[in-house]
Amino acid sequence: MVKEGSIAQFMLREHGEIFVLMNDFKKNSNKDNAEDYYKKLKEKQQTHVLAEEKAIIILNDEGKKYKEVITILQQHDELEKLMRNIAEDLDRKQDNYGGNIKKFMDLMKEHVQLENIKFYPKLDKELTSNQKDTILQKLKDVILGNIRA
């Protein structure tokens, strides 16, 4: 059970929004407006990754070390590469990018499980209230306010 107002709850909701966009893109990937769906997914994914990485920097600055962070950052890089591959396929109007979409969706599911089941609940359990509030505020600033700095 995810606690109301927790980091895990906020990110669970955020991950749900990404899955909706992923599914919309997948359903429309062979249509004329596929690029519009891709752009929405890409923008959401980039904002999401930026927010998570800014939150992780806060943990590092405070000397907190979590083994999941390395995997999360590696997955972010791999997801970004897959997004670029999909964009290149879209630009070339190739009909074979379904493989890249599947790879992206599979990795995203794995990534979200790591964060939703292990990482964010662990933060909610182990961090002080002030640390959690700081991280949650940073996530909200970037995701909801779309702050890039």
Side-chain angles (χ1 to χ4, degrees), residues 116-128:
N116 287 353
I117 293 170
K118 289 185 178 179
F119 186 61
Y120 289 119
K122 184 186 283 188
L123 294 184
D124 283 323
K125 183 178 178 184
E126 295 180 3
L127 297 178
T128 67

Side-chain angles (χ1 to χ4, degrees), residues 15 28-29 37 45 63 113 119 131:
H15 289 140
N28 293 285
S29 62
Y37 287 95
Q45 176 67 14
Q113 276 193 321
F119 186 61
Q131 290 169 323

